[in-house]
C-alpha cells in the first residue's frame, strides 16, 4: 500500500467527541481519496476474563464496542457514501492500539477526550499521549460550541513555524492547503528579551526590529522547499510578537486546521511536545494536526 493509500485511522469510544472525529475524518478521507478505518480499543478481556468471553458468548463490553463501531461506520457512510470504511474492535489499551495503528496510517484522528468520566478535562490523556508519541500525524478534533464549523467560502490552514523548523509539518500544511484550495497562513512568533535594550552594543537603536527580521528569515527558509513544490498554494507569511503558544491559539480562531510539529530529542523515548503544541492541543478553536519529524 502506497503512502497515498494508507487509511485515516479514527479512535472511537462512543463519546460525542469521538463521533465528531469520525465526521471530520470522513470528510478528510473523501478529500484525500483514502480509506477510513475505525478502531475501538478496550481492555474488556483482561477485566471480564477470556474464559467468560468464550464460555458465555459476547460480554457486555464486547456488545457495547460492536454497537459503537457500527454506529460510527454508519455515520461515516451517511456523511461520505463513497469512502471505504472498515472497523475493528481490539481488546487492548487505547494508547497501545492507536500507536500501533499509526505505523500504517496516513494519520490518526482523535476526539479531544473520551468517555472516561473525566469529561471536564480540556484534553484527554489518550489524545495527549498519542499526539506526543505517534509515528504519523495526529489530528485532534474538538466538538464544543466554540469549535463548530465556520461558514465561509474559503478555508484557512495555519502553520506554526518554530525555532527548529519541521519539514514534515511544513509539507503536511502545504498538502492540506492544496487539498482544500485553502490559503496557508504560516506564522512565526518572536520576542525581544527584556534584557535587550537600546543600550545593548549589538542592538543599538532597533532591538525589536532585529528579532522580527530574524523571525522572517527563519520563516522564509522553512517554507522555501514546500512553496516550490506547491506553487498553487496561496501563502500568507506572518511574524507576530508574543509567546508562540498565545500566537497560535489566537490564530486558530479564524482557521479550519492548525498544524504544529513534534520533534525528536536525543536521550528521550518517542517525541516531545513543546509548550506551544501543548497549548494548541488544549485551547485551539479548530482541529490541530501534530506532525512528527521524519525519522
Amino acid at each position: 500500500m502506497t503512502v497515498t493509500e494508507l487509511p485515516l485511522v479514527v479512535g472511537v469510544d462512543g463519546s460525542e467527541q469521538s463521533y465528531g472525529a469520525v465526521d471530520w475524518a470522513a470528510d478528510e478521507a473523501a478529500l484525500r481519496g483514502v480509506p477510513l478505518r475505525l478502531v475501538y480499543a478496550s481492555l474488556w478481556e483482561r477485566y471480564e476474563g477470556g474464559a467468560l468471553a468464550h464460555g458465555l458468548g459476547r460480554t457486555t463490553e464486547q456488545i457495547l464496542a460492536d454497537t459503537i463501531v457500527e454506529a460510527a461506520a454508519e455515520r461515516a457512510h451517511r456523511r461520505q457514501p463513497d469512502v471505504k470504511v472498515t472497523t475493528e474492535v481490539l481488546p487492548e489499551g487505547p494508547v497501545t492500539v492507536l500507536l500501533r495503528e499509526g505505523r500504517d496510517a496516513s494519520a490518526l484522528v482523535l476526539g479531544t477526550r473520551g468517555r472516561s468520566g473525566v469529561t471536564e478535562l480540556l484534553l484527554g490523556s489518550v489524545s495527549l499521549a498519542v499526539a506526543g508519541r505517534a509515528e504519523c500525524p495526529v489530528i485532534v478534533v474538538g466538538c464544543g460550541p466554540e469549535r463548530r464549523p465556520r461558514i465561509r467560502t474559503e478555508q484557512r490552514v495555519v502553520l506554526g513555524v518554530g525555532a527548529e523548523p519541521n519539514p514534515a509539518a511544513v509539507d503536511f500544511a502545504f498538502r492540506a492547503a492544496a487539498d482544500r484550495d485553502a490559503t496557508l497562513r504560516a506564522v512565526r512568533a518572536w520576542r525581544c528579551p527584556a534584557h535587550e535594550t537600546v543600550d545593548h552594543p549589538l542592538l543599538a537603536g532597533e532591538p525589536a526590529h532585529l528579532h522580527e527580521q530574524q523571525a522572517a528569515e527563519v520563516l522564509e527558509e522553512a517554507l522555501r522547499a514546500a512553496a516550490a513544490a506547491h506553487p498553487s498554494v496561496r501563502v500568507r507569511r506572518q511574524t507576530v510578537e508574543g509567546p508562540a503558544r498565545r500566537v497560535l491559539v489566537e490564530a486558530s480562531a479564524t482557521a479550519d486546521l492548525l498544524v504544529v510539529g513534534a520533534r525528536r530529542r536525543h536521550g528521550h523515548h518517542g517525541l516531545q511536545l513543546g509548550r506551544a503544541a501543548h497549548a494548541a492541543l488544549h485551547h485551539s478553536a479548530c482541529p490541530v494536526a501534530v506532525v512528527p519529524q521524519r525519522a
Side-chain angles (χ1 to χ4, degrees), residues 34-292:
V34 299
L36 189 62
R37 176 169 164 78
L38 310 177
V39 297
Y40 179 100
S42 171
L43 292 172
W44 58 265
E45 191 171 58
R46 174 182 298 178
Y47 298 115
E48 299 195 13
L52 176 64
H54 292 297
L56 301 178
R58 296 193 304 165
T59 66
T60 301
E61 181 67 21
Q62 282 180 291
I63 294 170
L64 176 63
D66 290 341
T67 300
I68 287 171
V69 295
E70 288 168 7
E74 182 179 351
R75 185 171 180 135
H77 278 304
R78 286 200 309 267
R79 192 173 183 94
Q80 295 291 345
D82 295 331
V83 171
K84 179 182 177 182
V85 180
T86 59
T87 66
E88 189 165 6
V89 176
L90 298 165
E92 299 179 78
V95 174
T96 299
V97 165
L98 292 168
L99 291 178
R100 186 175 65 240
E101 291 284 332
R103 297 170 189 161
D104 295 305
S106 59
L108 291 168
V109 183
L110 309 173
T112 48
R113 55 184 181 265
R115 59 182 182 92
S116 64
V118 197
T119 56
E120 296 308 312
L121 292 179
L122 288 170
L123 186 70
S125 58
V126 171
S127 299
L128 189 60
V130 173
R133 295 164 55 192
E135 297 179 16
C136 69
V138 176
I139 298 105
V140 178
V141 181
C143 63
E146 75 282 3
R147 304 186 186 201
R148 290 173 184 156
R150 301 173 182 83
I151 300 173
R152 57 170 171 256
T153 56
E154 182 187 65
Q155 292 203 43
R156 301 171 187 172
V157 175
V158 170
L159 166 66
V161 176
E164 300 176 14
N166 180 334
V170 175
D171 186 64
F172 183 96
F174 268 85
R175 290 179 182 275
D179 287 342
R180 293 163 171 76
D181 190 26
T183 296
L184 175 61
R185 178 185 174 192
V187 180
R188 169 79 177 118
W190 63 274
R191 302 182 74 179
C192 182
H195 68 274
E196 293 185 358
T197 68
V198 292
D199 296 326
H200 193 289
L202 298 179
L203 301 171
E206 298 181 318
H209 176 72
L210 177 59
H211 285 283
E212 184 176 15
Q213 182 179 353
Q214 290 173 339
E217 291 171 355
V218 168
L219 184 59
E220 187 61 37
E221 180 60 28
L223 302 182
R224 182 171 290 114
H230 301 276
S232 64
V233 173
R234 301 178 298 277
V235 184
R236 179 184 168 197
R237 297 162 175 81
Q238 188 173 19
T239 57
V240 182
E241 183 178 9
R245 54 189 181 275
R246 175 177 62 77
V247 169
L248 293 181
V249 170
E250 289 178 354
S252 75
T254 56
D256 298 280
L257 180 66
L258 171 61
V259 181
V260 296
R263 59 184 179 274
R264 290 180 172 85
R265 290 178 178 171
H266 296 296
H268 291 267
H269 294 291
L271 296 163
Q272 304 296 314
L273 295 179
R275 286 183 293 177
H278 268 281
L281 286 168
H282 283 284
H283 302 293
S284 174
C286 68
V288 178
V290 178
V291 184

